Amino acid sequence: IDDTIRRLDDHLADVYHEVDCTRIALDPRFKNMEGSIGAVYYNFPHAGAAWVDLQPGQGHVTGFYDSHPIVNWRHENLMRLFFRNLRYFVKPRGLVKIASNMGAVGVRFSYIMGSAEQNEFQHVETLPFLEWSLHRYGRAYGDRRDKKKRPGDGQGYNAQKAESDMVYTFEYRPSGKELPPQEIKLPPTFQTIMGCNDGPFKNLDHNSSVALARQLHERFIKEVSGTHVG
């Protein structure tokens, strides 16, 4: 990543770190950039692992597959809020290109398509990723596995093959009408989380399950609370 940033700097690019794409409209670094962006690229979006601290020194909890209903709603909200925020910054007729695998079970293609349509980004093209001029992009796992390994030469990412990677292109065509507030998926209730007996809950005793469910629920409520767009 350091080499990549240096190359971007050589081309007079501005590199911002820790950008939350669901709250771009509230990020002061993007002030005065409204309506000025002509192209946006998002390669293989993912809402990130759902982790919580157990006790000091015990690390983090992971273990849910992306398709698990306890966490899958987070991936749909990622796309809904991403496209809603882009409305503030993308020029009319500006392009948004999102790369994703046809078999992705986290950010599914239906989440991408539906979120774009809700926010007046019209789908104009789908292109195989390997035929794209930026196809040399190197994929990563996005978690602790990256310290020791990466998907081999971009050919395989778990069960996803590079031949199934697609680039979805959208064009921003605002109607000028005021849109209703962006709907989002709500997280599961505490009772629903308590009913989970797989993933990180597997083999936990009752007290540990209650503690984990409470921490997950509190974290999920924080994710959907507050202001995401101006």
Side-chain angles (χ1 to χ4, degrees):
I1 187 64
D2 292 334
D3 291 339
T4 300
I5 292 175
R6 278 193 289 270
R7 292 180 64 185
L8 290 169
D9 285 338
D10 290 342
H11 288 80
L12 304 181
D14 293 324
V15 179
Y16 297 154
H17 298 276
E18 299 181 359
V19 173
D20 182 347
C21 74
T22 69
R23 300 178 189 263
I24 302 173
L26 303 176
D27 192 325
R29 293 172 294 183
F30 290 84
K31 187 177 181 180
N32 300 322
M33 294 175 62
E34 292 83 355
S36 65
I37 297 177
V40 176
Y41 302 86
Y42 197 165
N43 282 353
F44 305 99
H46 192 278
W51 60 267
V52 293
D53 287 314
L54 288 174
Q55 296 178 3
Q58 288 192 359
H60 308 304
V61 173
T62 57
F64 288 116
Y65 289 108
D66 289 344
S67 59
H68 199 292
I70 294 293
V71 296
N72 186 256
W73 59 274
R74 302 171 68 243
H75 298 285
E76 186 166 5
N77 282 351
L78 174 67
M79 287 293 95
R80 291 186 179 195
L81 293 171
F82 169 66
F83 275 105
R84 178 53 60 100
N85 274 267
L86 288 187
R87 289 178 52 85
Y88 290 83
F89 300 99
V90 176
K91 298 177 181 179
R93 301 290 176 173
L95 298 179
V96 177
K97 298 191 176 187
I98 299 180
S100 185
N101 190 274
M102 292 172 58
V105 295
V107 177
R108 304 171 184 179
F109 80 94
S110 59
Y111 296 167
I112 299 172
M113 294 291 188
S115 300
E117 182 179 3
Q118 288 178 10
N119 288 287
E120 302 185 320
F121 288 85
Q122 183 169 329
H123 177 235
V124 294
E125 181 184 43
T126 297
L127 179 72
F129 185 84
L130 294 178
E131 296 180 15
W132 191 29
S133 59
L134 302 179
H135 68 274
R136 291 182 299 278
Y137 172 83
R139 299 190 65 173
Y141 290 108
D143 57 34
R144 62 179 179 271
R145 289 174 293 177
D146 289 326
K147 293 181 179 179
K148 297 182 179 179
K149 62 179 180 178
R150 295 293 180 93
D153 297 327
Q155 295 304 306
Y157 180 82
N158 295 339
Q160 301 176 18
K161 300 299 182 182
E163 291 77 12
S164 298
D165 290 341
M166 297 291 162
V167 181
Y168 305 98
T169 302
F170 304 90
E171 187 176 273
Y172 184 38
R173 299 180 182 177
S175 64
K177 300 178 181 179
E178 183 176 353
L179 299 187
Q182 178 64 59
E183 295 181 352
I184 60 173
K185 289 284 187 178
L186 295 179
T189 64
F190 174 76
Q191 289 77 12
T192 299
I193 299 174
M194 272 298 300
C196 182
N197 56 12
D198 58 355
F201 288 90
K202 189 175 182 180
N203 300 322
L204 289 183
D205 60 37
H206 176 73
N207 290 338
S208 298
S209 293
V210 171
L212 176 57
R214 183 175 292 112
Q215 291 182 66
L216 278 173
H217 186 252
E218 290 176 355
R219 182 232 165 98
F220 292 161
I221 291 299
K222 289 179 181 178
E223 286 189 8
V224 297
S225 300
T227 304
H228 287 82
V229 295

